[in-house]
Amino acid sequence: MQVAKKTGISMASNIRIDSEASVAMMKLDNPYVIVRQIASTNAVVLFSMSNCCMCTVAERLLFSLGVGPTIIELDHHVAGPDIQAVLFQLAADGRQPVPAVFVGGKFLGGIETLMACHINGGLVPLLKEAGALWL
């Protein structure tokens, strides 16, 4: 199994990658700004929960396509509940806020949208356009 890139934002676990962006992000206290910053600085972002089976499905689909998404596990993240509230607003229609997928800085949607894009052939072009695939 491939290893996903983790962000440098403080997490409850000890996983951390230091970078200039991570230092700037740690100072952010507005969850909207955190989501926007993470989504805009990574080709593919998957907001997930460690015990969510549909999050695992989304993660495995992306890995199977050769994408190494930035995975933010909200149950291990300091600002997890606040970020989840932002994602709930983005999801709208009372849909489950996780998994939440961002491609090229734009909110793609949840597992239903991700799978629909994959089935209808639209996911790979989106990933290529975002720079997540080079094939």
Side-chain angles (χ1 to χ4, degrees):
M1 181 173 189
Q2 297 177 6
V3 177
K5 180 172 63 172
K6 301 288 183 173
T7 66
I9 296 176
S10 296
M11 300 174 92
S13 66
N14 291 331
I15 299 171
R16 182 185 161 120
I17 296 176
D18 290 320
S19 69
E20 291 175 5
S22 68
V23 172
M25 281 191 251
M26 285 190 304
K27 295 179 182 177
L28 301 175
D29 59 352
N30 183 335
Y32 292 99
V33 176
I34 292 171
V35 170
R36 186 174 61 231
Q37 181 70 24
I38 293 170
S40 66
T41 57
N42 296 283
V44 180
V45 178
L46 175 66
F47 288 94
S48 176
M49 299 284 273
S50 60
N51 61 350
C52 170
C53 63
M54 288 296 109
C55 296
T56 302
V57 169
E59 183 179 329
R60 288 188 180 187
L61 172 61
L62 292 169
F63 281 140
S64 74
L65 294 172
V67 175
T70 298
I71 299 173
I72 310 295
E73 290 189 348
L74 298 176
D75 52 339
H76 294 177
H77 195 285
V78 173
D82 296 328
I83 292 173
Q84 193 168 0
V86 171
L87 297 174
F88 187 77
Q89 290 177 354
L90 285 174
D93 300 332
R95 293 186 181 204
Q96 191 68 12
V98 291
V101 181
F102 288 79
V103 178
K106 297 177 184 166
F107 181 61
L108 179 65
I111 189 67
E112 296 90 359
T113 308
L114 181 66
M115 294 303 281
C117 285
H118 176 59
I119 290 168
N120 72 21
L123 184 57
V124 170
L126 280 175
L127 295 170
K128 285 181 182 178
E129 185 179 323
L133 288 177
W134 297 278
L135 300 175

